Amino acid sequence: MPVAVGPYGQQQPACIDRIKMGFMMGFAVGMAAGAMFGTFSCLRVGMRGRELMGGVGKTMMQSGGTFGTFMSIGMGIRC
């Protein structure tokens, strides 16, 4: 498929760059969602201090990785 050229001569990003960009956007959104849901769930079960930070961090990384993976798959399908 030919590469489309923009109005000022710049090229569109390559497919692998779009996949990486999709992963990074998905990871950021997943981390934000994981921070909210992780905080509420850890506080609900009574975690405090270092245990709370570990639980929230773990939830943030899990949700960020999951959502980032699905966003990168979606971007790969689009290109």
Side-chain angles (χ1 to χ4, degrees), residues 4-12:
V5 177
Y8 300 108
Q10 73 267 22
Q11 294 182 348
Q12 298 292 324

Side-chain angles (χ1 to χ4, degrees), residues 8-39:
Y8 300 108
Q10 73 267 22
Q11 294 182 348
Q12 298 292 324
C15 189
I16 191 72
D17 292 331
R18 287 181 182 215
I19 291 172
K20 287 190 285 189
M21 184 174 58
F23 181 79
M24 291 308 234
M25 287 190 309
F27 195 81
V29 171
M31 290 267 293
M36 291 188 298
F37 295 129
T39 301

